[in-house]
Amino acid sequence: MQKLQFESAWDKTISENDRERIQQVFLETSSSQNKDIEFTPLWEAMNHKGELLITVLVQNFSEQKISFHNEKLQYWEDENIVAEHSFTLPALMIEPSTSMPWTFIFPTDSFYSQPLLRNGKITFAEINS
């Protein structure tokens, strides 16, 4: 059975509204039959540096602990790759059958086009891309 977990810094600082929204999305999406990793979109924004902030619920439906060490991720909008970046995130360790919210920050030099901040999703980059 899938469980929702917050990284300790998130758990201390997240607003009650955001926590409730994440819990609702978790309840709606945590019964996937997938046995892999899913990135369930929560929200998208740009920061003061022009970087793209994509907050997702990282859902580990596998039986393996996952971590992010030089993992290339792509941000898509309307079937087009908008940004691609390699992430090494020591704080993001997700146990099997666990979902955790996380914000991936794509720097401006990772953009292929200007983000529209709608209908976005994150995927693992294909090996041959």
Side-chain angles (χ1 to χ4, degrees):
M1 183 164 168
Q2 200 74 6
K3 67 180 184 261
L4 178 61
Q5 179 179 327
F6 291 87
E7 190 268 334
S8 62
W10 274 66
D11 205 25
K12 295 173 189 165
T13 60
I14 193 167
S15 74
E16 194 56 39
N17 282 345
D18 286 347
R19 182 182 299 272
E20 288 173 12
R21 183 172 171 193
I22 291 166
Q23 289 170 332
Q24 184 62 42
V25 169
F26 171 76
L27 290 173
E28 293 169 3
T29 61
S30 63
S31 61
S32 175
Q33 298 304 309
N34 188 355
K35 294 294 181 202
D36 210 354
I37 310 305
E38 288 183 9
F39 299 97
T40 304
L42 293 168
W43 51 83
E44 305 142 329
M46 302 289 280
N47 68 13
H48 67 284
K49 297 180 196 175
E51 297 169 319
L52 179 60
L53 311 177
I54 304 299
T55 303
V56 296
L57 193 55
V58 182
Q59 303 207 70
N60 182 3
F61 294 109
S62 78
E63 296 178 11
Q64 310 293 319
K65 181 185 226 179
I66 63 165
S67 61
F68 288 78
H69 180 72
N70 203 28
E71 290 289 344
K72 189 179 284 189
L73 300 180
Q74 296 172 330
Y75 173 69
W76 295 72
E77 290 178 341
D78 299 322
E79 306 305 318
N80 297 307
I81 299 174
V82 174
E84 182 175 86
H85 186 67
S86 292
F87 292 90
T88 297
L89 304 164
L92 185 56
M93 299 284 284
I94 305 176
E95 296 294 328
S97 302
T98 302
S99 299
M100 182 183 292
W102 195 263
T103 299
F104 291 94
I105 302 173
F106 289 83
T108 57
D109 65 358
S110 71
F111 295 1
Y112 291 114
S113 62
Q114 189 60 35
L116 302 174
L117 305 179
R118 65 171 190 252
N119 300 322
K121 67 180 179 180
I122 287 182
T123 64
F124 286 105
E126 295 295 324
I127 300 298
N128 59 5
S129 65

